[in-house]
Amino acid sequence: MVTITNKEPLLSHNRKFRMTRQRQVILEEIKKVRTHPTADQLYEMARRRLPHISLGTVYRNLEILSECGMVQKLDLGGAQRRFDGNTKKHYHVHCTRCGRVDDVPIEAVVKIQTTFQGASNYKITGHKLELLGLCPQCKKAKKALTKRPGRRAGRKSNSHP
Amino acid sequence: MVTITNKEPLLSHNRKFRMTRQRQVILEEIKKVRTHPTADQLYEMARRRLPHISLGTVYRNLEILSECGMVQKLDLGGAQRRFDGNTKKHYHVHCTRCGRVDDVPIEAVVKIQTTFQGASNYKITGHKLELLGLCPQCKKAKKALTKRPGRRAGRKSNSHP
DNA sequence: GGGTTATGTAGGAATGGTTACTATTACGAA
DNA sequence: TTCGTAATAGTAACCATTCCTACATAACCC
């Protein structure tokens, strides 16, 4: 359980922000979980403590917190953006079946960039690597499905958010 | 210049689609370019030949064409989805300054997946790697800028044909 | 061919995530 | 305390994408 108690102002590279109650709650809530929540999930989480907080405030503060390096904005593709309280550079693995996102406990490998440095006439300055696969639950579910004898009707399209 | 002349029906894994005039034009237009256009860019391109085509038709057909493996849907993050007439698995490099997207002429390295296979309890089945950097033009522009201090360009969603 | 069904189309409305606007409130320095 | 600014709630606007509907066209079958 993470608790942020000080209310020191936040510093971005070119601005100073006040640590307001709303901002603090959003920060605490995102630091609490490892689920890479979306903005509206964080809105629900914050609303349990601040029933009058508005979705716009959540968006604005996530923007500010990420500008100050307190949270990470993830752009994994798909409809909704996700946010991560873990600001260390790291990779994510995305379940293709249920949409769950987990951390991959391996630090970012900068070597990837040098590998590709000469391959185009761009100056490579970064990279985004996202692993795709089946989470433990979906692995089991899949296995259970293939075990069952008899032919299966059609493959189901996943309901992947 | 690529031209598709035959109007054979398209086959997806579970359906058959007719090759209509609209579908053919969209396919030809996307095969013509290497710019990874967005749906509305393709809409404009197709409209030059079929002034009455609608944006919905473009979206629906891109969906169908990608289901049949004729084009590739790219989900690079960012507001708009992009499409690629090159269906071979390959990587992309994305300019962080102007948003331009180019191919990286190196085939997908499956080794990446095996590297990460044990790092989580997911079954890794794929990966998405996107290089970030400065395109040739922006490299030059940046160099010119550092000579004399410039103003900060607002973040613009790219508008690159 | 003529009738019927499946498939595709244009156009526009609806959706959903995100951002912008506005009046009001809270904070911090003088 | 007072003034100026930052932040907020609430709501409207935005924009890419999807869905809906009436109509058109092709394929199929007799």
Side-chain angles (χ1 to χ4, degrees):
Chain A
M1 162 76 176
V2 185
T3 318
I4 292 97
T5 44
N6 69 335
K7 298 189 71 169
E8 288 304 299
L10 296 172
L11 293 176
S12 135
H13 57 99
N14 55 0
R15 285 184 69 188
K16 198 171 69 172
F17 297 97
R18 294 206 287 259
M19 178 51 91
T20 62
R21 178 99 187 99
Q22 287 84 346
R23 206 164 282 168
Q24 192 177 342
V25 166
I26 292 167
L27 185 56
E28 285 174 13
E29 292 299 318
I30 194 172
K31 291 285 184 189
K32 247 188 230 172
V33 296
R34 302 267 99 179
T35 52
H36 313 83
T38 58
D40 62 302
Q41 285 167 349
L42 278 164
Y43 172 53
E44 287 308 323
M45 290 155 72
R47 217 140 70 112
R48 290 201 283 270
R49 294 171 58 187
L50 301 174
H52 293 292
I53 197 170
S54 85
L55 182 58
T57 299
V58 173
Y59 271 106
R60 185 163 17 79
N61 281 316
L62 285 170
E63 193 62 43
I64 289 170
L65 288 169
S66 87
E67 191 182 325
C68 299
M70 312 285 288
V71 309
Q72 214 176 147
K73 233 192 302 185
L74 306 181
D75 214 345
L76 304 178
Q80 273 173 286
R81 182 176 300 156
R82 288 169 175 275
F83 296 87
D84 195 341
N86 176 5
T87 53
K88 270 186 75 175
K89 277 202 173 183
H90 62 284
Y91 294 125
H92 295 103
V93 56
H94 200 145
C95 182
T96 51
R97 203 161 175 279
C98 70
R100 178 174 152 188
V101 175
D102 277 290
D103 290 334
V104 178
I106 285 186
E107 275 182 52
V109 184
V110 188
K111 206 180 67 176
I112 288 176
Q113 291 168 216
T114 58
T115 305
F116 287 94
Q117 194 64 255
S120 69
N121 39 15
Y122 277 59
K123 175 181 174 58
I124 308 293
T125 58
H127 69 281
K128 276 166 53 181
L129 175 62
E130 185 188 343
L131 283 306
L132 303 171
L134 290 173
C135 71
Q137 281 91 318
C138 289
K139 256 194 294 190
K140 258 188 282 182
K142 186 86 178 290
K143 200 171 285 176
L145 262 176
T146 49
K147 231 178 230 167
R148 218 180 278 269
R151 44 236 229 70
R152 65 190 40 288
R155 85 192 56 215
K156 278 289 293 152
S157 92
N158 55 33
S159 59
H160 151 115
Chain B
M1 161 79 175
V2 185
T3 317
I4 293 97
T5 44
N6 69 335
K7 297 189 71 167
E8 288 305 299
L10 296 173
L11 292 175
S12 130
H13 57 99
N14 55 1
R15 285 185 69 187
K16 197 171 70 173
F17 297 96
R18 295 203 290 259
M19 179 51 92
T20 61
R21 177 99 188 98
Q22 287 83 348
R23 201 111 84 202
Q24 191 178 343
V25 166
I26 293 167
L27 185 55
E28 285 175 13
E29 291 299 317
I30 193 172
K31 292 283 185 191
K32 246 188 232 174
V33 296
R34 301 267 101 179
T35 53
H36 313 83
T38 59
D40 62 302
Q41 285 167 350
L42 277 165
Y43 172 52
E44 287 307 323
M45 290 154 72
R47 219 140 70 112
R48 289 201 283 268
R49 295 170 57 188
L50 301 173
H52 293 293
I53 197 170
S54 83
L55 183 57
T57 299
V58 173
Y59 270 107
R60 185 166 16 77
N61 281 316
L62 285 170
E63 194 62 42
I64 289 170
L65 288 169
S66 86
E67 192 182 324
C68 299
M70 312 285 287
V71 308
Q72 215 178 145
K73 234 192 301 185
L74 305 181
D75 214 345
L76 304 178
Q80 272 173 286
R81 183 176 298 155
R82 287 169 175 275
F83 296 86
D84 194 341
N86 175 5
T87 53
K88 269 188 75 176
K89 278 203 174 182
H90 62 286
Y91 295 124
H92 295 102
V93 55
H94 200 145
C95 182
T96 51
R97 202 161 177 281
C98 71
R100 178 173 154 188
V101 175
D102 276 291
D103 290 335
V104 178
I106 288 186
E107 275 182 53
V109 184
V110 187
K111 206 181 67 176
I112 287 177
Q113 290 167 216
T114 57
T115 305
F116 287 94
Q117 195 64 254
S120 69
N121 39 15
Y122 277 59
K123 176 183 173 58
I124 308 294
T125 57
H127 70 280
K128 275 165 54 181
L129 174 62
E130 185 189 343
L131 282 306
L132 304 171
L134 291 173
C135 71
Q137 282 90 319
C138 289
K139 257 193 293 189
K140 258 188 281 181
K142 186 85 179 292
K143 202 171 286 178
L145 257 180
T146 47
K147 270 181 196 153
R148 80 193 149 105
R151 46 217 182 77
R152 159 173 160 48
R155 95 187 43 221
K156 242 335 249 115
S157 93
N158 60 67
S159 58
H160 135 84

